[in-house]
Amino acid sequence: MPETPPPPIGKGHNYNETALKVLSNMTQNGGSIVQKDIRQLIALSPSYLIVDSTVHQTDGVSQWALGLNRICETLHRKGELELETLNEMSRACAEAWSITSSWRGMEKGKTVIGDLSARLRENVLDPDGLSYKGEAIYVP
């Protein structure tokens, strides 16, 4: 039996594609989004940041942020965003910020994370920027 060659580097899924597939699979046929599973995906996002920025050097960081934003905006738009999920997103952004501060060549990541955080503050959080639906959120 011939051996299947590995996919070329850079042709694999990035975090955005993974987030899109997970959300799509969960909502297929009218299903609901299981936030416990989404929180696990969010918790993995800092690792994806490293992989995406290495494998997809031109747009990996942007695609990573797009995936994280897609999860949050989808849940917020549907009125299903749970505080615990938003807290997990905040923790993931803080960890990603640490990664971009520690690794060479990840300067763009700081800008992207800053933009993502600003979008969350403007579009999701309460006007004080420290709470969601009156409940305090995790702020590093």
Side-chain angles (χ1 to χ4, degrees), residues 19 26 49 55 71 76 100 119-120 125:
M26 284 184 177
L49 173 61
V55 176
I71 291 169
H76 180 65
T100 59
R119 275 196 306 277
L120 289 174
L125 298 181

Side-chain angles (χ1 to χ4, degrees), residues 65-139:
L66 185 60
L68 214 55
N69 189 60
R70 180 184 308 275
I71 291 169
C72 189
E73 288 294 321
T74 299
L75 291 169
H76 180 65
R77 197 173 338 112
K78 293 177 79 150
E80 297 178 7
L81 182 59
E82 295 175 0
L83 179 64
E84 195 173 339
T85 302
L86 188 57
N87 283 335
E88 188 62 47
M89 181 137 332
S90 183
R91 280 190 287 277
C93 284
E95 187 175 340
W97 184 269
S98 293
I99 290 168
T100 59
S101 297
S102 302
W103 290 45
R104 283 190 200 161
M106 300 273 294
E107 295 79 18
K108 180 182 177 186
K110 283 186 176 182
T111 303
V112 170
I113 294 165
D115 291 347
L116 175 61
S117 297
R119 275 196 306 277
L120 289 174
R121 275 191 305 278
E122 293 168 12
N123 301 322
V124 177
L125 298 181
D126 294 343
D128 66 3
L130 300 172
S131 60
Y132 178 67
K133 296 183 179 179
E135 297 286 329
I137 61 161
Y138 170 82
V139 179

